[in-house]
Amino acid sequence: MPELPEVHTVASALNKLLIGKAFEKIEIFTEKLRLPLSPLLDSKLLNQPIIDVRRRGRYIVIELSGGIALTVHLGMTGVFREAKVSDERRKHEHVIFHLNDGHQLRFECPRRFSSIVSSVLEHPGGEPSMLKKLGVEPLKPDFTASYLYQQLQKRKCAIKIALMDNQIVVGIGNIYAAEILFKSGISPLRPANRITMKDCAALVKNTCSILNAAIKAGGTTFSDYRQLDGSEGKFVRELLVYGRKGLPCVNCTTPIETISHGGRTSFYCPKCQK
DNA sequence: AGAGATACCTGGGAGC
DNA sequence: TGCTCCCAGGTATCTC
């Protein structure tokens, strides 16, 4: 389940792997993931040097010279892997990018919640149009307590839903939302507009510390997520509340509970989080 | 307009 | 053992 730290890890690896190379051929084996893959067959994508790979929210932008970019969302189970020509194609491999150095980059995604689209950039370093309505980056200076407070004042939904809303702040999914709220002592169910400025300061601080720690650990592998070399993220060992239903709270030993809202499970300590 | 529900998809675990 | 059922997740899109 790639959230920001996982996408960050993958984007960094792709950056090292791809810059200066080009796609010689792109093969698709699946008509569509979340969106059709056929635009990848556009010959404009071929033989253009890759000049940048960057992350925006949970999206990875692969920019080619000539003003075209591929925008990738890993969904839940999207995995990139370096491969050799001789490697047998695996069941859920949907795309093979043939690089001009003779190697391959393959994209695999069992649940097909991912997407890869191509778009024309307005200028080099520009943002694909589908990313323009995204909110602020949680690890950048514009994610401040006052920004968050101002956004939350407008919302009546549960704070957890608001934290996961990528029009407010990008990259926080179910796992890290649970961890951030636990560390901040805030119930996932508290209405967003009843979060105080002091709470916002704690949320911003804990969001940064948790995401940075997770990036350092190479992300959280719960089931499918892998780094480019196939290794697992190690942050799962550091999770304090997610996935710990019935186990004692690390602060007060009260059993961790779950509730379901918005079709998603929230893990929380009923005593520490109000 | 804003908020909530639903579709998308498949592997894996639980329960019978 | 083998079957069925349900859950996990982010986002686009639909409905009220």
Side-chain angles (χ1 to χ4, degrees):
Chain A
M1 313 166 196
E3 298 183 33
L4 187 146
E6 292 76 37
V7 178
H8 185 93
T9 304
V10 173
S12 301
L14 288 176
N15 188 291
K16 283 201 189 97
L17 178 72
L18 294 179
I19 285 194
K21 296 174 191 164
F23 302 128
E24 215 160 52
K25 183 167 112 181
I26 299 175
E27 278 183 286
I28 64 172
F29 300 91
T30 304
E31 194 186 335
K32 71 184 196 88
L33 298 171
R34 278 186 55 83
L35 298 166
L37 286 173
S38 52
L40 299 185
L41 299 177
D42 188 340
S43 62
K44 289 193 187 89
L45 298 175
L46 302 181
N47 304 311
Q48 294 283 355
I50 296 161
I51 57 173
D52 191 30
V53 181
R54 53 187 178 270
R55 179 192 62 74
R56 171 75 174 106
R58 252 176 289 215
Y59 295 85
I60 297 166
V61 178
I62 301 171
E63 182 175 350
L64 314 180
S65 72
I68 295 189
L70 291 182
T71 304
V72 181
H73 195 295
L74 300 176
M76 285 182 65
T77 57
V79 173
F80 276 110
R81 216 187 9 261
E82 295 179 72
K84 293 188 205 111
V85 179
S86 57
D87 291 350
E88 204 150 302
R89 193 170 78 85
R90 295 163 48 131
K91 186 176 174 189
H92 298 290
E93 278 176 2
H94 306 296
V95 185
I96 297 182
F97 298 91
H98 297 254
L99 303 176
N100 60 350
D101 66 355
H103 288 87
Q104 297 184 343
L105 180 69
R106 301 191 184 188
F107 186 72
E108 176 176 348
C109 186
R111 284 184 217 180
R112 304 179 182 215
F113 264 39
S114 49
S115 59
I116 305 178
V117 303
S118 67
S119 47
V120 176
L121 300 179
E122 285 168 15
H123 55 86
E127 198 159 71
S129 54
M130 64 186 294
L131 306 188
K132 290 204 167 142
K133 57 181 189 296
L134 293 178
V136 303
E137 286 287 335
L139 296 177
K140 292 219 167 138
D142 45 359
F143 184 52
T144 61
S146 54
Y147 166 81
L148 183 61
Y149 183 73
Q150 180 208 332
Q151 291 295 318
L152 296 181
Q153 284 297 100
K154 298 188 254 183
R155 309 294 181 103
K156 288 180 224 158
C157 64
I159 178 61
K160 179 166 176 256
I161 304 291
L163 270 188
M164 292 171 63
D165 182 341
N166 67 17
Q167 292 189 37
I168 297 178
V169 58
V170 297
I172 299 173
N174 208 31
I175 297 176
Y176 294 114
E179 295 297 309
I180 291 163
L181 288 166
F182 176 75
K183 207 162 174 189
S184 306
I186 296 169
S187 163
L189 289 178
R190 180 147 27 124
N193 59 10
R194 287 185 31 221
I195 297 291
T196 65
M197 182 65 94
K198 199 178 158 197
D199 292 328
C200 287
L203 286 168
V204 168
K205 178 171 161 273
N206 292 324
T207 297
C208 292
S209 65
I210 288 170
L211 293 180
N212 278 320
I215 287 170
K216 208 172 160 192
T220 302
T221 296
F222 227 80
S223 52
D224 306 273
Y225 165 74
R226 289 292 184 280
Q227 301 184 51
L228 235 61
D229 60 7
S231 64
E232 301 191 353
K234 297 185 181 63
F235 194 72
V236 67
R237 298 177 199 158
E238 299 178 44
L239 297 177
L240 299 181
V241 66
Y242 183 89
R244 301 193 71 242
K245 183 179 184 179
L247 295 173
C249 168
V250 295
N251 290 337
C252 74
T253 72
T254 301
I256 297 301
E257 293 184 5
T258 59
I259 34 140
S260 179
H261 59 133
R264 298 289 177 264
T265 302
S266 291
F267 294 84
Y268 70 108
C269 171
K271 194 172 166 200
C272 294
Q273 294 177 255
K274 298 292 181 194

